[in-house]
Amino acid sequence: MNFRISSVLKIVGFLLVVLSFAMLPPVLVCLYYGEHRTAAGFGHSIWNVLLVGTVLFLIFRHHGRNFRVRDGFLILAACWFFASLFGSLPYLYCGLAINPVDAFFETASGFSTTGATVFADVEALPRGLLLWRSMTSWFGGLGILIFAVALMPALGINGTSVAEPDKPSVTMDSFSPKTLRIATGIILGYTMLTALEIILLRLGGMGLYDSFIHSLGTVSTGGFSNYNDGILHFDGIYARVIILIFMLIVGTNFTMYYSFTRRGIKAFSEDSEFKAFRAIMIIAFAIVFCALYFIETGWSHGGEAANAAFQVVSILTTTGFVSDDFTAWPAFCQMILVLLMFIGGCSSSSSSGNKVVRIVVIFKLVIHGLETRLHSNVIKPVKLNKKDVPNDTVSAVSNHMFLYIVMTFVGAFIMSLENIDLLDCFTSTLSLLGNVGPCFGSVGVQGYFGDFNYFTKAFMSLMMIAGRLELYTILVLFTPGFWRSE
């Protein structure tokens, strides 16, 4: 076997060292609020994670700097798995009555930016642990952006859009200065967006701690809250408007902002994915609003537009914040939300799901197929942004869509072993695979999975990570050819 496993372990070691330092802010919060037992638990977690990470990094520090494509798949999977595994230690050391599977599920939900939970009463959790819970989703959103914009294109697992000449691109040959510049820009922009939302929420009267939690959950599209009823805990519309705006920002392809600095507003107005993203939101909002307005739901007329808009954007961007109990909405409106779960946000964004650009390519492929049936002699390629989409890209998009549907059925089958309603099986799987969080039926808008058995929760933990990493990244590891020497 010709894999540079040692190089992957070196990166995992460095990741764990960074992860240990990331646990320091929750310690400070614990000390501030007098949560000394929780602070001690974080202390034990930091020591263990730092020790393992340092040992791995020092042992393999002299191993490879260059990586092949197949190494990239293993790096992605290893980073998210070990981050979730070691990131679960605070839940185990902080005196909670929680088992390792539940701790792993909660942490995987965070790093995959899903927002599902095994805690029925999150308000009973220590504030330091709630901060760590939200930080995992923030780091997960940041990590996926760096990989999506800087590394995934080189792996061929984000090849869902036609790259324009002025969009950044890198190769997997090495971590070049260009790669580092892109990553640094993403980190800076991501951090600035988070800080700006914190300030705006604070100006609206939200407490500093609450502003931190909900800003981390918004920018990462993780949707974690420190309240059982989420943003419904806050009166008024100001906080919802701010969160809605930032959900739109982070649900958009981040390379578009880079293009905006070069091309101005044309970067958005001429981009096929963004135009589709905007159209889907407007159509979904109009349908949901009209349905809720003309069907009695018990709302005041002033709240229909705001709640419909917020929920459509929240589900489409896979953030998962809830402005109303949509499980009580008419079935027609619920069906719209299920479709939005399936679609997801834009490529190279914090959002997950199938991604809008794939839906656009599949739609164009269907139209192309119909035209071919009518005019068999006409050769008309699929176009995106006025450019021909390569056949291998179209094939990759089709394969991903098929695999996504297959995994939805596999997940639903596993969920059915719990003997829950068939609708619950499919919608819960869609929510977890698309990293949305809230569900329908028995799971509910809180996304509570605490009552499921250990096998189901372990499987769903891996499904959340697989969904976050574009499926192929995880599934390719289970093929014999991946481990075969070249």
Side-chain angles (χ1 to χ4, degrees):
M1 185 172 62
N2 197 29
F3 279 85
R4 291 185 285 270
I5 299 293
S6 55
S7 300
V8 176
L9 291 176
K10 172 186 173 182
I11 292 178
V12 169
F14 178 76
L15 170 70
L16 294 181
V17 172
V18 173
L19 190 67
S20 66
F21 284 99
M23 294 181 182
L24 290 175
V27 175
L28 300 178
V29 170
C30 290
L31 295 176
Y32 179 81
Y33 287 104
E35 300 168 347
H36 300 294
R37 183 176 181 179
T38 306
F42 270 103
H44 288 299
S45 302
I46 291 172
W47 167 248
N48 289 332
V49 177
L50 180 61
L51 178 62
V52 175
T54 302
V55 169
L56 285 176
F57 184 78
L58 290 179
I59 291 176
F60 301 108
R61 66 184 182 279
H62 297 302
H63 291 264
R65 296 176 179 271
N66 299 324
F67 299 93
R68 297 168 300 175
V69 169
R70 65 166 61 187
D71 296 327
F73 288 107
L74 191 56
I75 289 170
L76 279 169
C79 284
W80 256 261
F81 177 79
F82 283 105
S84 300
L85 184 65
F86 285 90
S88 66
L89 292 181
Y91 294 101
L92 300 175
Y93 282 128
C94 289
L96 300 177
I98 186 173
N99 61 75
V101 175
D102 282 353
F104 181 74
F105 180 97
E106 195 74 18
T107 315
S109 176
F111 280 112
S112 65
T113 70
T114 302
T117 184
V118 295
F119 295 107
D121 184 10
V122 297
E123 295 178 24
L125 297 177
R127 286 176 177 258
L129 200 57
L130 283 172
L131 177 61
W132 173 243
R133 182 172 174 258
S134 294
M135 286 178 64
T136 58
S137 70
W138 192 84
F139 283 117
L142 175 61
I144 203 64
L145 274 174
I146 292 175
F147 279 114
V149 176
L151 298 179
M152 278 185 174
L155 302 180
I157 53 178
N158 198 37
T160 54
S161 60
V162 179
E164 297 181 21
D166 57 350
K167 287 186 179 180
S169 62
V170 297
T171 66
M172 280 294 295
D173 293 336
S174 64
F175 293 110
S176 64
K178 185 175 183 179
T179 306
L180 295 177
R181 286 198 303 271
I182 294 172
T184 302
I186 292 172
I187 293 172
L188 180 61
Y190 192 81
T191 304
M192 290 178 63
L193 277 175
T194 307
L196 179 59
E197 184 177 0
I198 291 172
I199 294 172
L200 292 175
L201 290 177
R202 190 74 184 92
L203 291 175
M206 187 180 291
L208 181 60
Y209 178 80
D210 292 345
S211 299
F212 262 95
I213 295 295
H214 291 88
S215 296
L216 294 176
T218 303
V219 176
S220 66
T221 68
F224 275 141
S225 174
N226 54 319
Y227 295 104
N228 293 328
D229 53 355
I231 64 165
L232 291 173
H233 181 83
F234 305 100
D235 296 327
I237 197 173
Y238 176 83
R240 300 184 192 186
V241 171
I242 296 299
I243 291 174
L244 186 149
I245 292 172
F246 278 86
M247 286 192 297
L248 288 173
I249 293 174
V250 298
T252 302
N253 191 321
F254 266 58
T255 63
M256 297 301 301
Y257 301 118
Y258 177 87
S259 296
F260 178 77
T261 63
R262 304 280 298 275
R263 302 171 54 215
I265 196 63
K266 286 185 177 181
F268 292 94
S269 62
E270 296 179 356
D271 185 76
S272 300
E273 182 182 30
F274 182 77
K275 289 190 292 185
F277 180 61
R278 180 181 58 193
I280 291 170
M281 281 190 298
I282 293 174
I283 294 172
F285 163 72
I287 293 174
V288 172
F289 170 70
C290 290
L292 293 175
Y293 186 85
F294 291 108
I295 299 175
E296 181 60 39
T297 62
W299 283 358
S300 62
H301 291 317
E304 286 133 356
N307 280 281
F310 186 94
Q311 208 57 72
V312 164
V313 173
S314 178
I315 297 299
L316 181 62
T317 60
T318 71
T319 306
F321 280 129
V322 178
S323 61
D324 190 69
D325 183 7
F326 54 75
T327 61
W329 286 7
F332 182 69
C333 296
Q334 294 183 31
M335 190 62 206
I336 296 298
L337 297 184
V338 170
L339 291 174
L340 296 180
M341 284 183 183
F342 181 79
I343 295 172
C346 294
S347 60
S348 298
S349 71
S350 297
S351 301
S352 190
N354 261 305
K355 305 297 176 60
V356 172
V357 70
R358 288 194 179 101
I359 303 300
V360 173
V361 171
I362 291 296
F363 178 78
K364 288 179 177 289
L365 184 61
V366 171
I367 297 300
H368 173 265
L370 294 175
E371 292 177 345
T372 302
R373 296 297 184 277
L374 295 174
H375 309 285
S376 57
N377 295 327
V378 175
I379 301 177
K380 187 177 181 182
V382 175
K383 289 182 176 291
L384 198 65
N385 295 339
K386 298 180 180 180
K387 297 180 179 180
D388 294 348
V389 180
N391 290 332
D392 58 344
T393 299
V394 175
S395 177
V397 170
S398 302
N399 292 339
H400 180 276
M401 191 69 67
F402 175 75
L403 182 60
Y404 200 94
I405 294 172
V406 169
M407 288 303 299
T408 300
F409 276 89
V410 171
F413 176 79
I414 297 297
M415 294 288 288
S416 69
L417 299 177
E418 298 278 353
N419 198 29
I420 62 176
D421 184 81
L422 187 61
L423 178 63
D424 289 5
C425 295
F426 279 98
T427 58
S428 297
T429 302
L430 271 179
S431 180
L432 293 177
L433 190 60
N435 306 126
V436 180
C439 306
F440 298 89
S442 59
V443 174
V445 295
Q446 188 184 0
Y448 174 65
F449 287 84
D451 293 333
F452 293 97
N453 64 49
Y454 294 155
F455 173 76
T456 300
K457 284 184 282 193
F459 181 84
M460 290 301 168
S461 299
L462 297 178
M463 178 167 282
M464 287 188 288
I465 296 175
R468 177 76 276 187
L469 299 181
E470 303 283 334
L471 293 182
Y472 276 109
T473 309
I474 299 296
L475 297 180
V476 73
L477 302 180
F478 295 93
T479 61
F482 180 84
W483 302 99
R484 192 178 299 127
S485 299
E486 291 180 345

